[in-house]
Structure formats: structure tokens, C-alpha cells
Amino acid sequence: MSTPDNREMGGRRPRRADARTNRERILNVAEEVFGKGGQSASTEEVARLANVGIATVFRHFPTKAALLEAVLVQRFDRLRAQAESLSRATDPGAAFFDFFSHLVADATGKIAIGEALLEAGGGNDGDAAQASDRLRQAVGALLQHAQRAGAVRDDVELPEVYALLAATSRASAHAHLAEEVRDRMLAIVFDGLAPLRKPRARKKT
């Protein structure tokens, strides 16, 4: 009778610790490199800064598109985890508006990576798109919590809120807005999302 030879079910060997470490380092470096350089960044630069050979990069990610897809998945999953942790906040309104602001501030790198993915031949229906949908659902949960707390008007829904989020994110990223301008823009948007005030009744004369 044969004994297991350090294999997982399905005949696959568990990934070595150093291989996992290399993969994580490549992803983290790639997120920074492509977040700053966008389409002009290269996998060779990622390999150099991650202190691995280019063959190691392609062993984990066979194509540039595969690497960029994995980077976006990691980024979206990290943001989703942050949103889910905020769903337990004691101030749902502050949690929603703070996370909205965080997504806008984070948008420049995300957009650069997304554009690099499209340039590398990636599509809009892969793992990154699914991770983006999970993030969207987490934002929707924050929105519902904020509405139940009376911090956001109850006549808006996630599609229009996400459209506002996308528009402000792209404006901030492509127009290279100064931080104070971006903050004023968000203040205007947040005023529009605030609960509608009932007009004061006129005093009888």
C-alpha cells in the first residue's frame, strides 16, 4: 500500500513557501509599478524591483495580462475586505462617506492598472470583473446601512451612487485634481446624498 508523498489531493504538490513568497512579492511590486506607470510599465521592471528573474514572473503569471488581472483581483479583494469590516461600524454614515472618499483617492492607481490590462489584451469578464462586482456589493451594503441610519437619503440606489463614484474617481484621476479641490468636489456630492430636508412651515400672520 502506497503512502502519501507530500502531495495534495488531486496529485498536486503543495506550493513551496518560497514560491508563495515570490508570488506575493511580485504582485505587490506589480501593483505599485503599474499603478504608477500604467501602460508604459513593464514586467521586466517588476522582476527587477521584486528581485526575481523574469522567468520567475512568467512562471507564476504566463502573460502580462494574467499578472495585471491578478493585481486587480488583489486590489479589489483588499478594498472589499475593508468595506466589509466597516459594515460593523458604530457610525454607518461616516463609514460610507469615508469609504467613498477612500475609493476616489485610490482610483488613480486602479484606473492605470485597468487601462494597462486592456492594453495587454485582457477583457472585462475575467476574475478582476468578478472581484469588482464583489466590491460593488460591499459598497451597496455600506450604502444600505447608512440609509437605515438616516445618513443618506433613502430615494437613491446603488446604480446611481456607483455612477457618482465612478465619475468622481475618473475626474480625480484624469484631471489630476489637487487634494483640496477633490475634497470640495466630494463635499458637494455628499451634500447631494444627504437626507432631504423638509421645508419649514411658514408662520401664519
Side-chain angles (χ1 to χ4, degrees), residues 3 12 37-38 40-41 47 54 62 66 71 74 103 109 115 119 129 133 139 143 151 158 163 170 185 189:
T3 58
R12 301 176 65 182
S40 64
I54 190 66
V71 167
Q74 175 176 269
L103 288 177
E115 291 175 348
E119 178 69 17
D133 285 342
V139 172
L143 172 62
L158 181 59
R170 289 198 169 274
M185 173 184 69
V189 172

Side-chain angles (χ1 to χ4, degrees), residues 103-120:
L103 288 177
V104 172
D106 182 74
T108 300
K110 177 265 175 187
I111 291 172
I113 297 167
E115 291 175 348
L117 174 60
L118 292 176
E119 178 69 17

Side-chain angles (χ1 to χ4, degrees), residues 2-188:
S2 61
T3 58
D5 56 351
N6 202 31
R7 294 173 184 264
E8 293 180 327
M9 292 182 63
R12 301 176 65 182
R13 290 183 182 276
R15 184 176 303 198
R16 294 180 306 169
D18 59 341
R20 288 195 300 270
T21 300
N22 282 342
R23 186 179 191 278
E24 291 171 3
R25 185 165 65 250
I26 290 167
L27 277 177
N28 291 334
V29 170
E31 182 172 355
E32 182 176 357
V33 167
F34 287 105
K36 292 180 178 177
Q39 301 173 30
S40 64
S42 67
T43 49
E44 288 78 11
E45 183 180 3
V46 172
R48 179 177 61 82
L49 293 176
N51 198 28
V52 298
I54 190 66
T56 300
V57 175
F58 285 120
R59 185 159 56 247
H60 290 284
F61 308 100
T63 64
K64 183 178 180 179
L67 172 59
L68 288 163
E69 182 101 25
V71 167
L72 276 179
V73 169
Q74 175 176 269
R75 195 180 189 99
F76 286 136
D77 283 348
R78 183 174 65 245
L79 290 168
R80 174 188 50 78
Q82 292 174 11
E84 289 176 346
S85 68
L86 287 172
S87 66
R88 299 181 292 275
T90 56
D91 187 342
F96 170 75
F97 289 120
D98 287 350
F99 192 67
F100 192 115
S101 300
H102 177 64
L103 288 177
V104 172
D106 182 74
T108 300
K110 177 265 175 187
I111 291 172
I113 297 167
E115 291 175 348
L117 174 60
L118 292 176
E119 178 69 17
N124 294 316
D125 55 355
D127 292 342
Q130 296 177 28
S132 178
D133 285 342
R134 292 192 294 270
L135 171 59
R136 181 188 177 105
Q137 293 170 13
V139 172
L142 287 180
L143 172 62
Q144 290 178 351
H145 291 319
Q147 287 175 315
R148 285 197 291 268
V152 175
R153 54 194 292 178
D154 57 10
D155 62 334
V156 299
E157 297 181 355
L158 181 59
E160 53 261 35
V161 170
Y162 227 70
L164 284 171
L165 177 57
T168 50
S169 294
R170 289 198 169 274
S172 179
H174 290 305
H176 305 291
L177 299 180
E179 185 175 348
E180 59 270 20
V181 176
R182 185 188 70 207
D183 290 345
R184 290 200 299 270
M185 173 184 69
L186 287 174
I188 294 170

